[in-house]
Amino acid sequence: MSAPENEPTEAYPRLNTLSTGLRCRCPRCGKGPLLRGFLKIRDACPACGLDYSFAEPADGPAFFGMSLVGVVGMALFMWFEFSVHPPMWAHLVVTGPLLVIGCLGVLRPLKGWLVSEQFVHKAAPPEFSSIGKHGDGSRWR
C-alpha cells in the first residue's frame, strides 16, 4: 500500500523535510498526520496512502532532543545560578521541570523530521551478503 493505483509517486513534489517533519505531517504529501497519539507512527498516511513501514527512527529523537535541550538548558541553568544565586530547592522546582518539559516538547517534531529524512533518502534496513569465502579452505584450522 505504498501509493494508490491512480496516483504515481512522481505526482508528489519533493517537500521540505524540516517543514513537514516539524509539523509531523506525511513526508510525501505533507497533508496527512504522521503520528497517532504522542509518539506512535501510523501504519499509513490517511491522505495519500504512503506506507510508513520504512520509518524507524529508533532512539534518534530522544538522543537529539536530550542533547539539544541539555546544551540550552545547561546554559540557562548556569545563567540562573550565577545571576540570581537561588537555593537548591529553586533549581528542583524550576530547572528540573523545565528540562523535562523541554525534552518531551521536542520529541514529536524531531521524530517527524527523522522520518521525513528517512523517506527522502530512501532509508532501508541493512542487508548483508558475503563477498568472500569466509571459512572455506582456510589455513587456520
Side-chain angles (χ1 to χ4, degrees), residues 13-23 25-28 30 112-113 116-117 120:
R14 182 172 174 173
L15 301 174
N16 183 343
T17 58
L18 191 60
S19 173
T20 56
L22 294 180
R23 292 182 298 122
R25 294 293 175 195
C26 173
R28 182 167 69 181
W113 174 63
S116 292
E117 288 292 334
V120 167

Side-chain angles (χ1 to χ4, degrees), residues 21-76:
L22 294 180
R23 292 182 298 122
C24 297
R25 294 293 175 195
C26 173
R28 182 167 69 181
C29 69
K31 296 177 182 153
L34 177 68
L35 302 175
R36 178 180 68 227
F38 187 64
L39 288 175
K40 178 77 173 158
I41 297 177
R42 293 178 179 270
D43 295 329
C45 175
C48 69
L50 174 65
D51 182 16
Y52 292 144
S53 62
F54 68 89
E56 184 51 51
D59 292 336
F63 171 76
F64 290 124
M66 287 187 302
S67 298
L68 177 73
V69 172
V71 169
V72 173
M74 186 51 92
L76 292 174

Side-chain angles (χ1 to χ4, degrees), residues 3 5 9-13 16 22 24 32 36-38 42 51 53 56-57 75 80 102 106-107 111 114 118:
E5 286 76 25
T9 305
E10 293 82 27
Y12 295 98
N16 183 343
L22 294 180
C24 297
R36 178 180 68 227
F38 187 64
R42 293 178 179 270
D51 182 16
S53 62
E56 184 51 51
F80 186 53
V106 298
L107 271 179
K111 189 165 193 168
L114 288 175
Q118 287 178 336

Side-chain angles (χ1 to χ4, degrees), residues 72-127:
V72 173
M74 186 51 92
L76 292 174
F77 167 80
M78 290 169 53
W79 170 80
F80 186 53
E81 176 64 36
F82 296 138
S83 64
V84 179
H85 301 292
M88 186 55 71
W89 65 266
H91 283 299
L92 293 173
V93 172
V94 175
T95 310
L98 286 177
L99 289 175
V100 171
I101 290 169
C103 286
L104 291 175
V106 298
L107 271 179
R108 281 178 57 94
L110 286 174
K111 189 165 193 168
W113 174 63
L114 288 175
V115 169
S116 292
E117 288 292 334
Q118 287 178 336
F119 174 75
V120 167
H121 296 292
K122 296 175 179 41
E127 295 178 8

